[in-house]
Amino acid sequence: MRVLLTSDLHHNHTRSRPLADDLIDQINQTPADILILIGDTAVLADNALDACLSRITFPGQKLFVPGNHELWSHAGDTNELLTKTLPQRVESLGWHWLQSKPFITDQLAIVGSLGWYDYSFAQQNLGIPRRFYEAMISPGAAERLEEYAHLFNRTDDISPHAREIFARWNDGKFIRLNRTDEEFLNQLLAQLKDQLDSLRDHPRILAAIHQLPFRELLPPPHTAQWDFAKAYLGSQRIGDLLLQYPNLTDLFCGHSHYPAEAQIKHIHAKNTGCGYKRKFLHLLDV
């Protein structure tokens, strides 16, 4: 059995689309049994997701995992997008919605999840208090906007360096969770646990998680702006859950746009490394 995996096509993005189209051509021409897209394929607006998925003529089983960009919307509740609108749209185009139902063969079971963040990957050396991560804006950027004045009701816990960091995380502008990030992560972990519990007796499990489950997969230190974004790349709690299942041997993720690979106990963990400027297609022989 051959499994193809990729992520972060960002097909609606002008800079990313030509590379995504080239990779889709490669997918359509590569003999394999299963294809998995691990999030951030395209946004729903302007039928961008439909256009991208319809362009993929891969003849095998096609599995879909949502990313945070699939949840971007100027209107509507995120929970309805994730539980109704997106699954209906994806399944109508002939794809298996991996977020809520595993894909099972005799040789391999595949589970999937968007995953989420709880700021456990925040870089402590930046000296940014948690309330800024919750607001998805750095102190330097927040200081210039009146709507964030309340974040400075206390200043003794903000490092001088933090006030020189100017960054925002756009999930805060385009996603309406109506709950905390940690509560959303709890919801997704419970859903993933149900999938994994049902597969305890299966010989081999592969997990496709959009966000990073392990600290070992984080990008190396970069600019302060990029290091601020690490708080939104995933959560170690996802990895802690995966490690509870000894038959889970492989993990693929995306989201960070940085290739990384690590052996973490019994799990071979790999980030696809796909982003706006480069795309990769991974092959797993089972």
Side-chain angles (χ1 to χ4, degrees):
M1 178 185 297
R2 307 184 86 202
V3 182
L4 295 179
L5 309 100
T6 191
S7 73
D8 299 275
L9 290 178
H10 291 289
H11 195 262
N12 57 284
H13 196 283
T14 303
R15 181 175 58 178
S16 180
R17 188 181 300 120
L19 293 176
D21 282 338
D22 288 345
L23 189 71
I24 289 171
D25 290 340
Q26 185 181 346
I27 288 170
N28 292 338
Q29 297 167 14
T30 301
D33 302 288
I34 298 171
L35 168 65
I36 311 175
L37 297 185
I38 315 175
D40 283 4
T41 298
V43 297
L44 272 173
D46 302 320
N47 292 319
L49 181 61
D50 301 59
C52 180
L53 295 184
S54 298
R55 200 182 178 290
I56 299 174
T57 59
F58 176 82
Q61 296 287 342
K62 296 177 290 188
L63 316 184
F64 185 93
V65 176
N68 54 309
H69 279 240
E70 273 82 25
L71 301 184
W72 280 20
S73 173
H74 291 283
D77 177 73
T78 296
N79 191 61
E80 184 171 346
L81 273 176
L82 185 61
T83 60
K84 294 181 181 179
T85 308
L86 273 167
Q88 290 171 1
R89 187 79 61 88
V90 167
E91 290 173 349
S92 71
L93 293 168
W95 291 73
H96 179 101
W97 178 254
L98 205 57
Q99 176 72 31
S100 58
K101 184 180 179 181
F103 181 82
I104 305 171
T105 72
D106 291 340
Q107 296 170 276
L108 183 68
I110 304 172
V111 300
S113 179
L114 158 67
W116 205 247
Y117 40 78
D118 56 1
Y119 328 128
S120 55
F121 291 158
Q123 305 297 287
Q124 299 303 314
N125 64 300
L126 297 180
I128 299 176
R130 180 184 176 93
R131 61 186 180 276
F132 288 92
Y133 289 113
E134 291 173 345
M136 300 192 181
I137 190 167
S138 69
E143 207 163 18
R144 297 186 172 193
L145 299 170
E146 181 61 31
E147 64 188 286
Y148 295 106
H150 64 284
L151 298 177
F152 296 91
N153 289 341
R154 177 184 175 186
T155 59
D156 63 312
D157 60 345
I158 308 172
S159 75
H161 173 61
R163 300 179 94 135
E164 298 173 0
I165 300 172
F166 299 88
R168 299 188 73 166
W169 188 252
N170 280 331
D171 284 357
K173 294 166 60 178
F174 300 120
I175 294 180
R176 293 160 180 80
L177 292 181
N178 297 319
R179 73 209 76 177
T180 68
D181 290 312
E182 193 165 11
E183 288 170 341
F184 188 48
L185 175 61
N186 289 342
Q187 173 188 330
L188 297 178
L189 287 177
Q191 189 177 37
L192 179 58
K193 185 178 186 301
D194 285 344
Q195 289 195 41
L196 292 167
D197 283 345
S198 71
L199 297 168
R200 285 188 180 275
D201 296 327
H202 197 282
R204 185 175 181 182
I205 302 174
L206 180 151
I209 315 290
H210 179 62
Q211 307 225 6
L212 276 60
F214 297 110
R215 190 177 299 275
E216 291 87 343
L217 299 178
L218 285 171
H222 196 39
T223 64
Q225 285 74 19
W226 281 106
D227 286 345
F228 169 79
K230 289 180 183 177
Y232 309 104
L233 293 187
S235 169
Q236 184 63 42
R237 291 179 58 210
I238 307 171
D240 292 343
L241 174 63
L242 300 180
L243 287 169
Q244 295 176 27
Y245 299 86
N247 55 340
L248 199 160
T249 58
D250 299 275
L251 171 280
F252 283 84
C253 62
H255 188 47
S256 70
H257 300 184
Y258 180 82
E261 191 168 359
Q263 185 69 36
I264 304 169
K265 296 184 178 179
H266 57 276
I267 297 177
H268 183 227
K270 192 168 189 176
N271 191 298
T272 66
C274 300
Y276 295 110
K277 296 181 179 180
R278 55 185 180 181
K279 311 288 182 187
F280 301 101
L281 184 62
H282 297 267
L283 174 65
L284 179 68
D285 282 310
V286 180

